[in-house]
Amino acid sequence: MSMAKTSPVANGTAPGADPALLEVRNLRAGFGSQTIIHGVDLDVRAGEVTGIFGLNGAGKSVLLKVIAGVVPTWSGSVRLDGAEISKLLPEQRVARGMAHVPQGRQVFPSLSVEQNLRVGAYTLRRRDRSAYAGRLEMVYDIFPRLAERRGQAAGTMSGGEQAMLAVGRALICDPKLVLIDEPSAGLAPAVVEDLLEVLLKVRELGLTMLLVEQNIRFGLRLSERACLLQKGRVVYSGSREDLDQERLAQYLGVGRLLSSDLSAGLDKPKRRSAPRRPKTKPQP
């Protein structure tokens, strides 16, 4: 199949294009003497969802942790909204507008849903206490199930509900960019579909997301742009619509037989519609 429309790996913002909200240039990182990330370049444009895909061991989650500041940068540059952040601590990056939903969700199990959200709103409450109530109501509008369970201990909720809570906790500070690591991991197929519908609703709000996902069909249905990694190196970066099944299978090393299984993820994404608020607000 022809790939004439496929863009090469991005080495910068194209002439005339809007500057990327997140710019990663020649990023290297690893553990001890082992290099995991080998000179990665990546752009995430404002208002879009970019997915990072690859086989196990490709370096997807490590790359996300480096961008979040959890794993230190060896060399290269990470810029958020034009500002260099590669030397900042994770909490300093949060203050600059970056939110991180880690793999495994990592909610506080003994705290209630609302207490978890309050912890996530720490930086917001420090700079603007009056904004907290509005953001909390916004999260409950997006995730009505959390509103229903606002007093319930997070550790007693299902995996899907905890995933919603982890995303809601990231959204409550009104971030510029949300990093989401393996949101579907460990969830039953029916719950994965529910989570996808919720994240598609979040996408309609115009939020910028960088997503790492092992479930390729799930990730591609959510993403508008794709970054494919092999052994810590970018082998493709561009529009999801420019990926065909054969080339995607080739890049991911999974063979032609998997191509039919990926077809649902390669359907063209639906156009975004204006966000709609529920007609009635959930009762406490």
Side-chain angles (χ1 to χ4, degrees):
M1 295 185 183
S2 173
M3 289 290 291
K5 294 183 180 179
T6 301
S7 301
V9 174
N11 289 314
T13 304
D18 293 334
L21 177 64
L22 176 73
E23 299 173 275
V24 175
R25 295 290 178 269
N26 199 27
L27 192 66
R28 293 182 67 255
F31 303 103
S33 60
Q34 183 181 11
T35 304
I36 305 296
I37 304 301
H38 299 265
V40 163
D41 290 344
L42 174 68
D43 285 343
V44 178
R45 300 194 299 207
E48 289 190 342
V49 180
T50 299
I52 301 175
F53 307 101
L55 300 179
N56 287 333
K60 307 181 299 297
S61 289
V62 174
L63 175 58
L64 205 70
K65 289 180 173 69
V66 174
I67 294 171
V70 178
V71 173
T73 300
W74 285 2
S75 64
S77 172
V78 179
R79 301 181 71 86
L80 178 64
D81 205 11
E84 176 63 49
I85 63 169
S86 59
K87 302 302 181 184
L88 297 184
L89 296 173
E91 55 267 30
Q92 293 173 313
R93 301 185 194 206
V94 170
R96 294 288 186 99
M98 180 180 289
H100 183 206
V101 181
Q103 188 175 3
R105 296 168 281 276
Q106 298 183 18
V107 299
F108 297 99
S110 62
L111 298 183
S112 70
V113 167
E114 192 147 317
Q115 288 170 331
N116 269 270
L117 294 174
R118 185 176 176 84
V119 169
Y122 173 70
T123 58
L124 174 65
R125 290 186 289 113
R126 286 187 62 184
R127 68 176 185 265
D128 187 356
R129 283 183 173 273
S130 63
Y132 168 67
R135 294 296 298 180
L136 180 64
E137 195 63 29
M138 181 275 299
V139 169
Y140 284 153
D141 282 350
I142 296 173
F143 304 101
R145 202 171 305 174
L146 296 184
E148 296 168 3
R149 289 159 172 73
R150 65 179 71 193
Q152 183 174 335
T156 65
M157 298 198 304
S158 69
E161 290 167 345
Q162 289 185 26
M164 293 178 191
L165 177 56
V167 175
R169 189 175 59 190
L171 296 182
I172 201 166
C173 275
D174 194 17
K176 298 175 183 176
L177 171 68
V178 178
L179 313 178
I180 308 180
D181 194 355
E182 301 275 13
S184 73
L187 300 180
V191 177
V192 169
E193 286 298 313
D194 289 343
L195 179 62
L196 176 64
E197 290 303 315
V198 168
L199 291 177
L200 287 171
K201 185 191 299 184
V202 173
R203 190 182 75 175
E204 289 182 358
L205 300 176
L207 188 69
T208 309
M209 291 186 276
L210 179 60
L211 169 81
V212 161
E213 185 52 68
Q214 187 67 25
N215 184 331
I216 301 168
R217 292 183 63 184
F218 175 93
L220 287 174
R221 288 166 69 187
L222 182 61
S223 302
E224 295 154 302
R225 298 184 66 79
C227 173
L228 306 186
L229 287 187
Q230 283 184 352
K231 298 180 180 179
R233 293 180 171 87
V234 176
V235 295
Y236 173 87
S237 181
S239 170
R240 191 203 67 169
E241 293 187 30
D242 289 337
L243 279 172
D244 61 57
Q245 296 179 30
E246 182 178 349
R247 189 58 63 93
L248 179 60
Q250 173 190 332
Y251 279 139
L252 297 181
V254 292
R256 293 174 180 267
L257 292 178
L258 186 57
S259 294
S260 60
D261 294 333
L262 301 176
S263 59
L266 288 170
D267 292 338
K268 290 187 177 182
K270 296 178 181 179
R271 292 187 177 182
R272 297 186 186 211
S273 58
R276 292 178 293 178
R277 299 177 65 87
K279 294 181 180 180
T280 58
K281 294 182 179 179
Q283 296 299 315

